Amino acid sequence: MNTGAIVIVGAGQAGGWAAATLRDRGYAGRVVLLGDEPHAPYERPPLSKAVLGGQAPPESTELFSAQRLAQLDIEFQPGVSATRLRLRERQVDTSGGGALGYDKLILCMGGRPLVPALPGVDSAGVHVLRTRDDALRLRASLGPGKHLVIVGGGWIGLEVAATARQTGSTVTVLEQAPRLCARSVQPGVSAHLAALHAAHGVDIRVNAGLRAVQAQADGKAVAELADGTRIAADAVVLGVGLQPNDALARDAGIACERGVLVDEYCRTSAEDVYAAGDVAVSAHAAAGGRIRLESWQNAQDQGTAAALSALGETAPYVPTGAVWSEQYDAMVQIVGFPALAACEVLRPQADGRALLSMALDAGGRLVAAVAVDAARDLRQLRKWIAQGAVLDPALLQRPDVPLASAQIG
């Protein structure tokens, strides 16, 4: 396919890479990129770190500038969203009032922060962090003498906590589960993260649910917990999850299940319609079933894969589950999928700051790993996950035995 028109709905990491990949592979037809934000495609990870902390301007997150997109002959339409998919006519209605015809359609609508239906969450003192504008708004509430209450002890909540502490803010993190990041890492990693934040002065409260937010006349807020505890704050940040923007696809009759369902070639249930990034749900045996990945790496890789599939290339997309997070001066790297884990093995590190956690299934195969400041070891673990290697837990726990010696099958 080298002529016609490909429309990409969503100009985030996945959409931006899908558009660039089409040109990189020599596609000469029309490429239209719709973005509901006024900004050119940008990367989101720095928003909770350098941008929020004031060390970098929001423009530094730019993935492809508007000028670069123009050079690639990509018709970028900022501030324009798709309002309806008309699959039979192969057209996309837009918020600008027009309609775009397509030969292939790639859906990269991403997601939006989940806002629980609780009293007061719509008040001025309550924040989410998803966009560049969100980061700038929250930044104004940080600094010495400020108190931040973060609802949610997952990755976004912990990254915001680290950045806020580095600005001199007082920080309280509320996590409804018994431990931090319970859905994505094993207990040993959760404990390590809790200790890291406690050492930096963060008040971590697990088994703590939010009941309501009470707005104050001065724009501040009071967080009311399920047990009746009240915490006054300059700002309350909601970091309780991401909701996929799949309504457009669902309304068009495309199969969805907490996101747009795709196969290993990023194809949806509709002919010539593909999906990628935070909105896409795929079946992956290593993940124990269907999975929707919310990561920078997956958005880039799957956006690229969707573009290749739209051009007729037939290599299946196989996600790695790679995720990384910077908190203070610690680098947390994750690979694999912990859903099939039967046990966690921790390997002692000479430096007490570092951590190596390995998740094994019932047969001793490595299915996921987490490395904190241990990138070299993670490279070996990544290979073992790809190979389906069987490891000896007793040897893994012995720092006097070379890591490579732990493989037994």
Side-chain angles (χ1 to χ4, degrees):
M1 179 184 175
N2 202 40
T3 59
I6 298 179
V7 174
I8 303 168
V9 180
Q13 181 91 1
W17 275 104
T21 300
L22 293 173
R23 292 301 188 219
D24 184 60
R25 282 297 199 273
Y27 176 68
R30 186 184 185 194
V31 176
V32 182
L33 179 63
L34 301 179
D36 54 6
E37 292 188 54
H39 313 296
Y42 63 89
E43 299 178 312
R44 299 190 190 276
L47 298 182
S48 59
K49 307 174 190 69
V51 174
L52 181 60
Q55 290 85 34
E59 295 78 14
S60 65
T61 64
E62 207 166 63
L63 182 65
F64 301 105
S65 67
Q67 292 76 14
R68 179 56 181 158
L69 293 174
Q71 291 171 355
L72 293 171
D73 194 24
I74 294 169
E75 299 176 38
F76 173 49
Q77 299 187 21
V80 177
S81 58
T83 58
R84 183 185 177 192
L85 306 180
R86 289 189 279 147
L87 303 180
R88 182 174 298 177
E89 295 87 354
R90 290 177 174 258
Q91 288 188 331
V92 177
D93 293 343
T94 73
S95 59
L100 295 167
Y102 68 83
D103 294 282
K104 300 289 178 71
L105 177 63
I106 305 177
L107 304 178
C108 302
M109 291 92 68
R112 61 193 183 280
L114 181 63
V115 178
L118 297 173
V121 294
D122 57 350
S123 60
V126 179
H127 299 251
V128 294
L129 181 55
R130 177 66 176 174
T131 68
R132 280 169 46 172
D133 296 335
D134 290 339
L136 293 179
R137 177 172 170 255
L138 178 57
R139 184 199 289 179
S141 297
L142 303 184
K146 301 289 188 178
H147 184 192
L148 199 66
V149 171
I150 300 171
V151 183
W155 299 114
I156 188 67
L158 295 182
E159 289 178 358
V160 171
T163 299
R165 282 298 296 137
Q166 290 171 315
T167 68
S169 305
T170 300
V171 178
T172 302
V173 173
L174 309 177
E175 171 52 53
Q176 192 168 11
R179 58 185 179 90
L180 301 176
C181 298
R183 290 179 297 178
S184 55
V185 298
Q186 300 300 303
V189 182
S190 297
H192 188 86
L193 293 172
L196 173 67
H197 283 271
H200 284 85
V202 177
D203 180 8
I204 300 283
R205 305 190 188 187
V206 296
N207 297 309
L210 182 70
R211 182 162 65 190
V213 176
Q214 296 179 355
Q216 305 298 293
D218 58 2
K220 298 180 182 180
V222 173
E224 183 178 342
L225 279 58
D227 64 2
T229 302
R230 292 164 53 87
I231 306 175
D234 292 273
V236 174
V237 180
L238 301 177
V240 295
L242 194 71
Q243 187 170 346
N245 291 327
D246 61 358
L248 198 67
R250 193 182 299 275
D251 291 345
I254 297 174
C256 296
E257 185 178 312
R258 291 174 293 178
V260 180
L261 295 176
V262 298
D263 65 9
E264 64 270 33
Y265 302 102
C266 305
R267 298 177 299 201
T268 73
S269 63
E271 183 180 8
D272 293 327
V273 181
Y274 305 79
D278 292 348
V279 78
V281 177
S282 60
H284 188 45
R290 287 175 175 167
I291 188 170
R292 184 173 61 83
L293 297 172
E294 301 169 5
S295 73
W296 174 93
Q297 191 67 59
N298 180 71
Q300 175 174 315
D301 293 348
Q302 196 172 30
T304 299
L308 296 178
S309 291
L311 295 178
E313 299 192 26
T314 57
Y317 173 58
V318 181
T320 64
V323 179
W324 59 271
S325 175
E326 288 181 284
Q327 300 172 32
Y328 309 105
D329 57 351
M331 171 60 75
V332 183
Q333 295 173 282
I334 304 173
V335 66
F337 303 95
L340 300 180
C343 70
E344 177 187 26
V345 179
L346 296 174
R347 184 176 176 86
Q349 304 291 297
D351 181 352
R353 293 177 42 191
L355 175 76
L356 199 62
S357 166
M358 293 147 286
L360 308 181
D361 68 9
R365 287 183 294 272
L366 184 66
V367 295
V370 179
V372 180
D373 295 331
R376 185 177 63 180
D377 288 336
L378 188 69
R379 288 193 288 271
Q380 175 64 66
L381 300 179
R382 190 189 302 270
K383 292 178 182 178
W384 278 340
I385 291 173
Q387 296 167 356
V390 177
L391 307 180
D392 184 334
L395 294 179
L396 288 175
Q397 297 177 69
R398 291 182 53 184
D400 60 314
V401 175
L403 184 63
S405 300
Q407 182 175 1
I408 57 177

